[in-house]
Amino acid sequence: MATETSVNYDRTKELKQFDDTKTGVKGLVDAGILNIPKIFVRPAEDLAADELNSSQKTIEVPIIDLSNIGESIRRKEIINEVKIASGEWGFFQVINHGIPLSVLDEMIEGIRLFNEQDLELKKEIYSRDSAKKVKFLSNFDLYTSKALDWKDTLQLSLLDFDPDPSEMPPVCRKSTMEYIKHLKKLGETLFELLSEALDLQPDYLNSIGCSKGCSIVAHYYPPCPQPELTLGVLSNEKFKSVKHRAIANHVGPRISVPCFFSGHASLLDKPFGPIKDLQSEANPPRYKEFLLNEYFAKFFSSSLDDDKLPLDYYKL
């Protein structure tokens, strides 16, 4: 497929053929491919930019230690660290967060087992239906991106944070349910810290439902034969939202389990915008209000490699 000329190459056809296999990227690896399909090859200008960036100094994101968070003086220090990291970086790593290492390891192992089980079992839940709470797919933006990422995804939409265990894939059910329990508690803690970092009451973001639901997108990055060719709102701009991507690798698999707190299902039809308490004559709103459903529709109809982020559509 990668040797076809641009004259007779039908990208849409190749995308559909890949999608119809319902086996994802691991299906390609299991088939023993030596060259990645053209749909995964990134544009030449992006590859050139990567080569330039790789020569620059490695950037290390802020690390915030949550130990002793119950002590008044230490909590104030943590809140200040969160404020700086969120305002200047839009990214930070937390350590001593309360989730046992065994729970993290078992979650990663569960995702590995899911992806490496019999293909027919994964095919049963392969879907691009946004209404499905549990689904397996490869690249949510498959039909809109310039180049696909070298990854498969198990997506769990938990809009009420109280999932039915029977809906989870059996091979990773126990580990996922245990992980969700700890994740909910950590989410509530982080939203408290973010609230206080914005000089709001500690329960502000939790009280409006920010921690009441989430989407877990468990990514599985198989080893890639040609990794050099592919890739694995509310704060009124007081906090940054940073775009980032993962890279592919010769060795693998590599597994990551990000969680996106998206709020309770009851919030989908409610308007959101810059928090009123963060606005003033000197700091007017920089975004107009929008419905959460509307934002999600823009996000899932866009591509991860779009220059314009969904939030940009609401800038004033």
Side-chain angles (χ1 to χ4, degrees), residues 182-192 206 211 261:
H182 289 275
L183 194 63
K184 183 176 185 292
K185 183 177 179 181
L186 176 59
E188 291 171 349
T189 297
L190 291 175
F191 279 115
E192 283 184 2
N206 282 319
S211 61
F261 284 87

Side-chain angles (χ1 to χ4, degrees), residues 32 51-53 70 90 100 102 113 137 140 173 205 212 237 249 285 314:
E51 187 175 350
L52 176 63
N53 291 334
S102 60
L113 291 172
L137 74 161
F140 83 88
R173 180 177 296 157
L205 292 174
K212 299 301 182 184
E237 292 196 345
N249 208 321
Y314 304 102

Side-chain angles (χ1 to χ4, degrees), residues 287-307:
Y287 295 88
K288 59 185 178 182
E289 287 193 339
F290 55 86
L291 299 180
L292 204 53
N293 249 340
E294 181 184 291
Y295 173 81
F296 285 152
K298 284 190 182 296
F299 180 85
F300 288 111
S301 64
S302 64
S303 168
L304 288 176
D305 51 25
D306 284 349
D307 292 330

Side-chain angles (χ1 to χ4, degrees), residues 204-224:
Y204 186 92
L205 292 174
N206 282 319
S207 70
I208 64 174
C210 289
S211 61
K212 299 301 182 184
C214 78
S215 289
I216 294 175
V217 282
H219 297 312
Y220 179 93
Y221 301 83
C224 180

Side-chain angles (χ1 to χ4, degrees), residues 138-152:
S138 183
N139 289 263
F140 83 88
D141 57 350
L142 185 140
Y143 291 102
T144 58
S145 67
K146 292 186 291 185
L148 303 188
D149 285 357
W150 193 256
K151 69 181 179 185
D152 295 328

Side-chain angles (χ1 to χ4, degrees), residues 52-269:
L52 176 63
N53 291 334
S54 66
S55 65
Q56 297 175 353
K57 185 179 179 180
T58 301
I59 296 175
E60 296 183 3
V61 299
I63 297 176
I64 299 178
D65 188 345
L66 298 186
S67 59
N68 301 316
I69 193 173
E71 298 176 4
S72 177
I73 295 177
R74 177 58 190 145
R75 185 179 183 88
K76 289 180 180 178
E77 292 173 347
I78 293 173
I79 291 168
N80 188 55
E81 291 170 9
V82 168
K83 177 182 288 189
I84 293 172
S86 300
E88 296 181 4
W89 289 76
F91 240 103
F92 59 84
Q93 175 188 354
V94 293
I95 59 174
N96 295 316
H97 40 63
I99 302 182
L101 182 59
S102 60
V103 172
L104 299 176
D105 288 344
E106 287 168 12
M107 182 64 187
I108 294 294
E109 176 65 5
I111 298 305
R112 185 190 67 78
L113 291 172
F114 170 82
N115 282 277
E116 296 177 5
Q117 66 181 328
D118 188 276
L119 287 176
E120 296 303 315
L121 294 175
K122 291 194 293 184
K123 283 184 178 181
E124 292 177 4
I125 62 171
Y126 189 93
S127 176
R128 296 192 177 278
D129 184 352
S130 60
K132 287 187 177 293
K133 292 183 178 180
V134 178
K135 57 179 176 284
F136 165 65
L137 74 161
S138 183
N139 289 263
F140 83 88
D141 57 350
L142 185 140
Y143 291 102
T144 58
S145 67
K146 292 186 291 185
L148 303 188
D149 285 357
W150 193 256
K151 69 181 179 185
D152 295 328
T153 301
L154 173 64
Q155 184 168 328
L156 313 173
S157 298
L158 313 172
L159 291 179
D160 55 5
F161 235 131
D162 188 24
D164 181 351
S166 67
E167 295 178 336
M168 301 294 154
V171 72
C172 59
R173 180 177 296 157
K174 182 179 178 181
S175 58
T176 299
M177 293 302 296
E178 183 67 16
Y179 180 66
I180 289 170
K181 180 178 71 175
H182 289 275
L183 194 63
K184 183 176 185 292
K185 183 177 179 181
L186 176 59
E188 291 171 349
T189 297
L190 291 175
F191 279 115
E192 283 184 2
L193 295 173
L194 289 166
S195 294
E196 292 184 79
L198 288 168
D199 297 320
L200 301 168
Q201 290 299 313
D203 67 342
Y204 186 92
L205 292 174
N206 282 319
S207 70
I208 64 174
C210 289
S211 61
K212 299 301 182 184
C214 78
S215 289
I216 294 175
V217 282
H219 297 312
Y220 179 93
Y221 301 83
C224 180
Q226 295 173 297
E228 70 279 3
L229 299 180
T230 187
L231 276 175
V233 183
L234 295 175
S235 69
N236 205 29
E237 292 196 345
K238 284 183 178 290
F239 289 166
K240 289 184 178 180
S241 178
V242 178
K243 189 174 182 179
H244 64 286
R245 300 297 290 271
I247 59 172
N249 208 321
H250 271 298
V251 297
R254 182 164 60 84
I255 296 169
S256 66
V257 189
C259 169
F260 299 91
F261 284 87
S262 49
H264 191 271
S266 63
L267 301 176
L268 291 175
D269 294 316

